[in-house]
Structure formats: structure tokens, C-alpha cells
Amino acid sequence: MPRYKIYFLLVCMSCVPYSQQLLESEQEEISGYIGPLVIDEEKFYQVVSREVFDKSNIPDEYYPSNNKATYWGTIEGKGVYIKNCKCFSDPKVIQDKLVVTHRYGGGSNRESTILLWNGSYYKNSRGEIIVDLKLHSDVVDVRRIITTERKVHDIKALHLENEDFMWINLIGYDGLIPYAY
């Protein structure tokens, strides 16, 4: 056996397999407090109503051409303008957990934040299932500085029998998040 192959074999034997590295990285991303998915239709609509506008009642400060303050999206399949939070980055699903980096102020934290769901599913024009979710906290302290924190929420309760994929519509995030399970 040539020397370079022996050297390569020795180096590789001491390496951690790539799949194990990925698993460890995922475990690190979902470590710590895992927030709940709360199914509460009344609270969901109460919270979302402050951030969703139809074409006829959109305030001037949230008019779509005003610095991308809103974006065109859907709630339960109905087209609406949604207040663009611009506070979410890198949302993804890892092992039935929704992971999102959240930049915010006002005192809420990972432990005081819940993921609200109205309990409804709907389909887009391609027949794909979509659920609407909203990150929310009742904790408010306007004296707090801007904080960036990774928030993790268990979303296994979203699973539908005979389905293995859906889109997550995180209200305030201008995009859909794929969820394969």
C-alpha cells in the first residue's frame, strides 16, 4: 500500500464522521430551553390582528411601499398585508423543533416566549399544506436593550397523518419555512 494511502487512512480513522458532526451541530442548536407550541385560536387572532391588514385598512406607516414595513402574505389562505418584523433570521426546522434567531427588545426571553397556533391547516394553490404560527410573549419591559437570541419551539404537534411535509408561515417573517417529517 502506498504511503499516502496509509497516511490518509490513519488521518480518516481519527476523524469524526461527517454525519456525527452534523448531528452534534443540530443537538447544539436545539439545546437548552424548548418552548411550547400553544394551540389557542382566540389568543392567536388577538395577537395577529395587530400585525395583519387587508387592502382597505392598512395604516399609512405600514403601507407596502414604505421601506418594506409590510409584505404580502397569507393567513388561512387569504391574502393580507403583514407587518414585517425584520427581527427573525435563519428560521429552520431541526428534529421537530422550530429554531429561529430573534432580535428583539422589551424584556421577553426564550423562556417567556410561546409559539401560538390557531389549530388550522390550509392548502396553497399547489395543494401543499400550510400552518400559520406566531412567536409571542406577554412579558414587556421597554427599558430593556435590543437582544438577539436563538428560540427553539417543539412543533411535533403539527404532524398530520398521511402527510410528511408542510410549510410553516411564521407571521412577521417574509417567507415560508419547509417542514419535512
Side-chain angles (χ1 to χ4, degrees):
M1 184 180 268
R3 283 188 144 158
Y4 71 89
K5 286 185 179 180
I6 292 172
Y7 176 73
F8 183 72
L9 182 64
L10 289 173
V11 169
C12 285
M13 288 177 62
S14 66
C15 294
V16 176
Y18 181 69
S19 60
Q20 184 178 347
Q21 291 175 21
L22 276 179
L23 184 59
E24 288 172 1
S25 174
E26 287 179 350
Q27 285 300 110
E28 187 176 307
E29 281 200 68
I30 62 173
S31 67
Y33 180 80
I34 298 175
L37 173 66
V38 176
I39 305 169
D40 186 335
E41 185 177 12
E42 184 178 333
K43 180 131 182 133
F44 176 85
Y45 289 114
Q46 175 189 10
V47 170
V48 168
S49 68
R50 296 175 278 199
E51 301 177 25
V52 175
F53 314 99
D54 65 23
K55 289 181 183 181
S56 63
N57 75 351
I58 189 165
D60 289 340
E61 68 266 23
Y62 296 120
Y63 196 74
S65 64
N66 189 0
N67 198 19
K68 297 188 179 184
T70 57
Y71 63 93
W72 182 253
T74 60
I75 301 284
E76 291 190 333
K78 298 176 185 102
V80 292
Y81 287 103
I82 302 171
K83 186 175 163 185
N84 193 351
C85 180
K86 299 180 189 176
C87 59
F88 300 125
S89 61
D90 197 27
K92 60 188 157 218
V93 176
I94 300 173
Q95 300 175 14
D96 296 321
K97 311 287 187 287
L98 177 63
V99 180
V100 61
T101 301
H102 187 201
R103 186 172 181 267
Y104 62 94
S108 77
N109 60 30
R110 192 168 173 175
E111 289 80 17
S112 68
T113 303
I114 60 172
L115 187 61
L116 281 172
W117 179 35
N118 62 1
S120 298
Y121 303 90
Y122 60 95
K123 292 185 178 186
N124 63 15
S125 60
R126 294 180 300 231
E128 300 167 321
I129 296 169
I130 300 176
V131 294
D132 298 323
L133 301 176
K134 175 67 179 144
L135 274 179
H136 175 70
S137 177
D138 286 325
V139 176
V140 177
D141 179 357
V142 294
R143 300 170 294 171
R144 296 281 303 262
I145 61 169
I146 299 296
T147 304
T148 301
E149 182 176 47
R150 186 182 70 251
K151 295 189 176 173
V152 180
H153 290 269
D154 190 342
I155 57 172
K156 193 169 187 168
L158 296 174
H159 288 198
L160 277 173
E161 195 172 308
N162 299 324
E163 296 290 338
D164 59 2
F165 179 83
M166 68 178 61
W167 292 102
I168 295 173
N169 180 23
L170 182 61
I171 307 301
Y173 174 71
D174 187 8
L176 296 174
I177 305 160
Y179 179 25
Y181 53 93

